Structure formats: structure tokens, C-alpha cells
Amino acid sequence: MILSSTERKIIHNSIRDIQDFPKPGIVFKDITTLLNDAKAYNVLMNHLCQRYKEYNLDYIAGIDARGFIFGAALAQMLGIGFVPIRKKGKLPYTTISEKYSLEYGIDEIEVHLDAFSKIPHAKVLLIDDLIATGGTANAAAKLINQAGAECVEACFIIGLNFLDGQNKLKEITNVYSLIEVN
Ligand code: AMP
């Protein structure tokens, strides 16, 4: 399912650029202005629903925290379950975890060990608002596979093309970004 140029424009125009947040030199892509624009949010979610209803997915996995907003809404529309992939220390049951590099230091994300276990070899779509270096999404895709499921695609509202994140992630799963930023 292809996103029309009109739909892409509506979504793109609803995302706000914040210069120098959270630190100098970063242009932060603020999706709160997409969420509070009913038309843009609706165009986005309808497009995702049309695209992914063909995939016969078993679960949507969303990355902490903005991936929860789009992922949980999409899972409900598709009539499938939602799985949160969270920053370390937030999930209450037994977890598996994966470390990844940040610009300075390392971070860690986790998923519940049994999150996908009700469906053998579950087909999972990973979703987040944005892919930059790809570190977070790479770790998340690996976690899905380690938990016994299959990450069939990773979906982002925004892909930052000037970083190599999408190419790296393509080595382990399909990647779909609605809006490419150069
Ligand atoms: P990365 O692991 O470098 O691909 O970073 C992706 C994560 O950081 C996502 O969860 C994004 O929400 C967030 N992020 C990174 N860069 C930006 C940015 N320029 N604007 C908004 N969010 C960002």
C-alpha cells in the first residue's frame, strides 16, 4: 500500500522541528503536533492499517515511549496484540534484554520473556516514531527474534537518511519509513 503524496504532505506538515533539543545541533522531530492534529493522525493510522492488514501479523511491538502510541493504536485497528519494548527496569515479569550503543555510553531495552509465546513463530511488526542511528531499533528487532518470534518489518514515521541506521537495520529485517529526511 503506497502512501500518496498528498497524504505524505499532511503527515509531514504536522510534525514540528525543534532546533537544538535536547542539546545543541540536534533537530528534534516533535510528533506531539501530529498526534493533536486529528486529520493527520487519522491519515497516518489509516495508511498503516491498510498497509499492514495484508501482512497477517500476530503482534505489534512498540519501542518505549513514542512507539507505544502508534503501535498500540495500530494493534487495536488490526485486531492483534501489542507488546511494549521498554527501557531497562520498567517491566515487572522475567525479561530478556539487549544493550546498544549511544553517542556516549550504552543503553539497554527489555521485553517480557513470554511476550510472544502464545503464538508459535509469531510474525511481529516493530514500530517507533523515528530511526536515527538505528541502535534502538536494532536491539529491539534482535529481542523480538530472541523471544522466539520473527520481526518481519520495522516501521517508522520518520527516517533520518543522513545517518546510516536504516541500512544497518535492513541487514536483519525489512524497513519502512513513511517520511525520509535528508
Ligand atoms: P536511534 O537509536 O539513534 O535510531 O534513536 C532512535 C530513538 O531516539 C527513537 O526512539 C526516537 O524517538 C529518538 N530520537 C533520536 N533522534 C531523534 C530526533 N532527531 N527527533 C526525535 N526523536 C529522536
Side-chain angles (χ1 to χ4, degrees), residues 14 26 33 38 62 80 93-95 99-100 165 176:
S14 74
I26 305 284
T33 45
I80 59 177
Y93 183 63
T94 311
T95 59
K99 292 190 175 74
Y100 59 99
Y176 177 60

PDB file of all heavy atoms in Angstrom, residues 14 26 33 38 62 80 93-95 99-100 165 176:
ATOM      1  N   SER A  14       2.512  18.114   9.688  1.00  0.00           N
ATOM      2  CA  SER A  14       2.024  18.120  11.079  1.00  0.00           C
ATOM      3  C   SER A  14       3.150  17.870  12.089  1.00  0.00           C
ATOM      4  O   SER A  14       2.934  17.967  13.291  1.00  0.00           O
ATOM      5  CB  SER A  14       0.934  17.054  11.249  1.00  0.00           C
ATOM      6  OG  SER A  14       1.518  15.761  11.258  1.00  0.00           O
ATOM      7  N   ILE A  26      21.083  19.282  17.501  1.00  0.00           N
ATOM      8  CA  ILE A  26      20.059  18.270  17.190  1.00  0.00           C
ATOM      9  C   ILE A  26      18.769  18.974  16.766  1.00  0.00           C
ATOM     10  O   ILE A  26      18.329  19.921  17.409  1.00  0.00           O
ATOM     11  CB  ILE A  26      19.753  17.374  18.431  1.00  0.00           C
ATOM     12  CG1 ILE A  26      21.024  16.716  18.981  1.00  0.00           C
ATOM     13  CG2 ILE A  26      18.661  16.359  18.119  1.00  0.00           C
ATOM     14  CD1 ILE A  26      21.559  15.553  18.194  1.00  0.00           C
ATOM     15  N   THR A  33       2.659  17.303  17.720  1.00  0.00           N
ATOM     16  CA  THR A  33       1.815  18.130  16.838  1.00  0.00           C
ATOM     17  C   THR A  33       1.098  17.285  15.783  1.00  0.00           C
ATOM     18  O   THR A  33       0.095  17.711  15.227  1.00  0.00           O
ATOM     19  CB  THR A  33       2.665  19.225  16.165  1.00  0.00           C
ATOM     20  OG1 THR A  33       3.887  18.633  15.701  1.00  0.00           O
ATOM     21  CG2 THR A  33       2.992  20.340  17.155  1.00  0.00           C
ATOM     22  N   ALA A  38      -6.028  15.959  14.409  1.00  0.00           N
ATOM     23  CA  ALA A  38      -6.889  14.777  14.210  1.00  0.00           C
ATOM     24  C   ALA A  38      -6.813  14.245  12.779  1.00  0.00           C
ATOM     25  O   ALA A  38      -6.783  13.033  12.557  1.00  0.00           O
ATOM     26  CB  ALA A  38      -8.332  15.119  14.574  1.00  0.00           C
ATOM     27  N   GLY A  62       6.049  -2.144  20.108  1.00  0.00           N
ATOM     28  CA  GLY A  62       6.360  -0.713  20.075  1.00  0.00           C
ATOM     29  C   GLY A  62       7.524  -0.398  20.996  1.00  0.00           C
ATOM     30  O   GLY A  62       7.674  -0.992  22.056  1.00  0.00           O
ATOM     31  N   ILE A  80      -5.039  -7.315  16.743  1.00  0.00           N
ATOM     32  CA  ILE A  80      -3.971  -8.193  17.237  1.00  0.00           C
ATOM     33  C   ILE A  80      -3.387  -7.602  18.523  1.00  0.00           C
ATOM     34  O   ILE A  80      -3.738  -6.485  18.914  1.00  0.00           O
ATOM     35  CB  ILE A  80      -2.849  -8.407  16.178  1.00  0.00           C
ATOM     36  CG1 ILE A  80      -2.214  -7.077  15.779  1.00  0.00           C
ATOM     37  CG2 ILE A  80      -3.426  -9.116  14.959  1.00  0.00           C
ATOM     38  CD1 ILE A  80      -1.049  -7.237  14.798  1.00  0.00           C
ATOM     39  N   TYR A  93       7.775  -8.572  34.956  1.00  0.00           N
ATOM     40  CA  TYR A  93       7.949 -10.030  34.917  1.00  0.00           C
ATOM     41  C   TYR A  93       9.360 -10.342  34.399  1.00  0.00           C
ATOM     42  O   TYR A  93      10.161  -9.437  34.142  1.00  0.00           O
ATOM     43  CB  TYR A  93       6.836 -10.632  34.026  1.00  0.00           C
ATOM     44  CG  TYR A  93       6.838 -12.132  33.959  1.00  0.00           C
ATOM     45  CD1 TYR A  93       6.625 -12.907  35.101  1.00  0.00           C
ATOM     46  CD2 TYR A  93       7.057 -12.785  32.739  1.00  0.00           C
ATOM     47  CE1 TYR A  93       6.643 -14.287  35.020  1.00  0.00           C
ATOM     48  CE2 TYR A  93       7.073 -14.159  32.655  1.00  0.00           C
ATOM     49  CZ  TYR A  93       6.877 -14.914  33.807  1.00  0.00           C
ATOM     50  OH  TYR A  93       6.902 -16.273  33.717  1.00  0.00           O
ATOM     51  N   THR A  94       9.683 -11.621  34.213  1.00  0.00           N
ATOM     52  CA  THR A  94      11.006 -12.021  33.711  1.00  0.00           C
ATOM     53  C   THR A  94      11.234 -11.447  32.321  1.00  0.00           C
ATOM     54  O   THR A  94      10.361 -11.545  31.451  1.00  0.00           O
ATOM     55  CB  THR A  94      11.085 -13.571  33.635  1.00  0.00           C
ATOM     56  OG1 THR A  94      10.635 -14.087  34.877  1.00  0.00           O
ATOM     57  CG2 THR A  94      12.498 -14.033  33.340  1.00  0.00           C
ATOM     58  N   THR A  95      12.407 -10.869  32.114  1.00  0.00           N
ATOM     59  CA  THR A  95      12.679 -10.219  30.828  1.00  0.00           C
ATOM     60  C   THR A  95      13.914 -10.807  30.151  1.00  0.00           C
ATOM     61  O   THR A  95      14.731 -11.466  30.797  1.00  0.00           O
ATOM     62  CB  THR A  95      12.948  -8.709  31.016  1.00  0.00           C
ATOM     63  OG1 THR A  95      14.067  -8.572  31.895  1.00  0.00           O
ATOM     64  CG2 THR A  95      11.747  -7.981  31.567  1.00  0.00           C
ATOM     65  N   LYS A  99      21.664  -4.768  25.009  1.00  0.00           N
ATOM     66  CA  LYS A  99      22.355  -3.479  25.150  1.00  0.00           C
ATOM     67  C   LYS A  99      22.628  -2.885  23.771  1.00  0.00           C
ATOM     68  O   LYS A  99      22.767  -3.605  22.796  1.00  0.00           O
ATOM     69  CB  LYS A  99      23.695  -3.687  25.871  1.00  0.00           C
ATOM     70  CG  LYS A  99      23.561  -4.089  27.325  1.00  0.00           C
ATOM     71  CD  LYS A  99      24.932  -4.020  28.003  1.00  0.00           C
ATOM     72  CE  LYS A  99      24.833  -4.289  29.477  1.00  0.00           C
ATOM     73  NZ  LYS A  99      24.602  -5.699  29.826  1.00  0.00           N
ATOM     74  N   TYR A 100      22.716  -1.562  23.701  1.00  0.00           N
ATOM     75  CA  TYR A 100      23.088  -0.907  22.444  1.00  0.00           C
ATOM     76  C   TYR A 100      23.850   0.381  22.747  1.00  0.00           C
ATOM     77  O   TYR A 100      23.715   0.951  23.831  1.00  0.00           O
ATOM     78  CB  TYR A 100      21.867  -0.646  21.555  1.00  0.00           C
ATOM     79  CG  TYR A 100      20.792   0.209  22.177  1.00  0.00           C
ATOM     80  CD1 TYR A 100      20.704   1.570  21.892  1.00  0.00           C
ATOM     81  CD2 TYR A 100      19.860  -0.335  23.056  1.00  0.00           C
ATOM     82  CE1 TYR A 100      19.717   2.359  22.462  1.00  0.00           C
ATOM     83  CE2 TYR A 100      18.877   0.443  23.631  1.00  0.00           C
ATOM     84  CZ  TYR A 100      18.815   1.792  23.335  1.00  0.00           C
ATOM     85  OH  TYR A 100      17.837   2.572  23.908  1.00  0.00           O
ATOM     86  N   GLY A 165      21.351   4.427   9.975  1.00  0.00           N
ATOM     87  CA  GLY A 165      20.531   3.491  10.749  1.00  0.00           C
ATOM     88  C   GLY A 165      19.681   2.553   9.919  1.00  0.00           C
ATOM     89  O   GLY A 165      19.601   1.350  10.208  1.00  0.00           O
ATOM     90  N   TYR A 176      10.524   0.139   6.744  1.00  0.00           N
ATOM     91  CA  TYR A 176       9.602   1.043   6.060  1.00  0.00           C
ATOM     92  C   TYR A 176       9.531   2.357   6.833  1.00  0.00           C
ATOM     93  O   TYR A 176       9.113   2.373   7.990  1.00  0.00           O
ATOM     94  CB  TYR A 176       8.211   0.402   5.984  1.00  0.00           C
ATOM     95  CG  TYR A 176       7.160   1.296   5.357  1.00  0.00           C
ATOM     96  CD1 TYR A 176       7.307   1.764   4.054  1.00  0.00           C
ATOM     97  CD2 TYR A 176       6.024   1.678   6.066  1.00  0.00           C
ATOM     98  CE1 TYR A 176       6.348   2.589   3.479  1.00  0.00           C
ATOM     99  CE2 TYR A 176       5.053   2.499   5.492  1.00  0.00           C
ATOM    100  CZ  TYR A 176       5.225   2.944   4.202  1.00  0.00           C
ATOM    101  OH  TYR A 176       4.275   3.766   3.631  1.00  0.00           O
TER     102      TYR A 176
END
